[in-house]
Amino acid sequence: TTTKYYNLDDKILSGPCQHIFDHIAESLESFLKEENITASCLPVGFTFSFPSDQKSLKNSILVTWTKSFKCPDGVGQDACVMLEEAIARRKDMPVKLDVMARISDTTGALMAGNYADKKCRIGVILGTGSNAAFVERIENYNKFEGKDPDTKQIIVNTEWGAFGDNGCCDFYRNDFEREVDKYSNHVNSFTFEKSFSGMYLGELVRLVMVKLVDEGCLFKGNPCPELKKRWEFPTSYVTSIEEDTDTSKNTWSVLKALNLADVATEEDVAIVRETCAVVSERGAKIVAAALAVLLQHINLPEVTIAFDGSVYEKHPKFRIHIADLLAKLVPTTKCTMIMVKDGSGQGAAFVAAVEYKPS
């Protein structure tokens, strides 16, 4: 697999959505030219990681933007149609492209995971946001149009990032999660992922530390201007601190970046490490609890779960906490967890390859 990354500028994230699809089409053209790919026609699988009303493999209507995206338009439109229109605007596209399918990143992770391990039945994204998809028996699912009579199974995208938006998760949410939600891009939405995903984990830790400072338990209650800034304690800080050894080198580096190294004591360092550990473990166990429900529903003796995303990949203890709790909650299922790096994109390519019928 040849993988290249094309970053979106921040200004595109809040502008007309046409700019996003034009960027994707431009990136496709650049990739084809850079790799000297030639063909009369290439099937394209499109991973579009936003809640959508999926009517068929290709017909997918955007329900809402999430994460850092705040485009004023696009909701109610078909993502594949918008991509096809953007591709058509590229007059120098070296290869004819045929968009075959729109899938979520979780479906992509599941497809890539199943390619690696045929017992894979769940795909999970655990990165900036979070979501899960699982393999369901077709008789249990009635929302899909254009069913193939030979199809016995279907992949269901749970959109669990928004689990709890109706208040059903309020019993475990704390003041820190409620404050994260209050100052997020999408208030009262995507409740579940705000407890653990990469966009919010660092902010949760920061809010706990601010309260500890205010109560005089951390840094002797001294003013900490850098710590008071919202969204300035990224999850990469948490990951780095959780990787720390007896020397606490990483923790001291983070405190230095926050101009706190001069006022911090060894006890402060221990408290910061403990805060990151507790918030991380809690988040991982919330993920595990949701996964346990899917495993119980699938009800097979062996199930492999495919993960993609920066939190699962880079946080040194997240997968350990998830595995530990799954073993307790679903002891009758042998659960294997695998990492599928860039699985969301690879999975889309697998879907396109399976669906493509050369003329």
Side-chain angles (χ1 to χ4, degrees), residues 25 58 96 123 138 143 158 178 192 194 216 223 321 344 356:
K58 187 175 175 180
K96 181 178 182 292
I138 194 71
K143 295 182 180 180
T158 67
R178 282 186 276 273
F192 191 58
K194 286 173 181 171
H321 295 317
S344 57
Y356 185 54

Side-chain angles (χ1 to χ4, degrees), residues 309-329:
S310 55
V311 173
Y312 186 84
E313 179 187 5
K314 295 178 180 178
H315 195 295
K317 297 174 184 174
F318 234 76
R319 65 188 71 190
I320 298 169
H321 295 317
I322 292 173
D324 286 348
L325 189 55
L326 283 179
K328 295 173 183 175
L329 295 178

Side-chain angles (χ1 to χ4, degrees), residues 95-117:
V95 177
K96 181 178 182 292
L97 299 176
D98 191 356
V99 180
M100 304 303 302
R102 173 268 165 190
I103 66 170
S104 74
D105 47 1
T106 43
T107 302
L110 175 49
M111 289 291 292
N114 196 263
Y115 183 77
D117 184 337

Side-chain angles (χ1 to χ4, degrees), residues 211-221 267-268 271:
K211 183 168 185 178
L212 290 170
V213 170
D214 289 345
E215 294 184 353
C217 302
L218 188 61
F219 308 127
K220 297 185 177 68
E267 183 180 359
D268 291 328
I271 292 172

Side-chain angles (χ1 to χ4, degrees), residues 195-255:
S195 295
F196 57 82
S197 75
M199 190 162 186
Y200 307 106
L201 193 66
E203 181 66 1
L204 286 168
V205 167
R206 186 193 70 82
L207 289 171
V208 175
M209 290 171 61
V210 167
K211 183 168 185 178
L212 290 170
V213 170
D214 289 345
E215 294 184 353
C217 302
L218 188 61
F219 308 127
K220 297 185 177 68
N222 287 318
C224 304
E226 294 298 317
L227 198 59
K228 289 281 188 178
K229 295 178 182 177
R230 295 192 187 278
W231 310 107
E232 292 297 319
F233 195 97
T235 297
S236 58
Y237 282 179
V238 181
T239 299
S240 178
I241 290 169
E242 280 280 75
E243 287 176 333
D244 237 338
T245 59
D246 292 342
T247 64
S248 298
K249 178 183 175 183
N250 294 352
T251 307
W252 281 109
S253 295
V254 168
L255 294 178

Side-chain angles (χ1 to χ4, degrees), residues 105-106 108-110 112-114 120 122-127 130-132 160 196 284 287-288 291 295 303-313 318-323 326 335-344:
D105 47 1
T106 43
L110 175 49
N114 196 263
C120 183
I122 300 174
V124 179
I125 297 296
L126 198 48
S130 184
N131 194 9
W160 82 9
F196 57 82
V287 174
L291 280 172
L295 287 168
V303 174
T304 295
I305 305 173
F307 287 85
D308 192 7
S310 55
V311 173
Y312 186 84
E313 179 187 5
F318 234 76
R319 65 188 71 190
I320 298 169
H321 295 317
I322 292 173
L326 283 179
C335 182
T336 302
M337 304 193 308
I338 61 173
M339 175 75 194
V340 284
K341 176 71 173 168
D342 299 319
S344 57

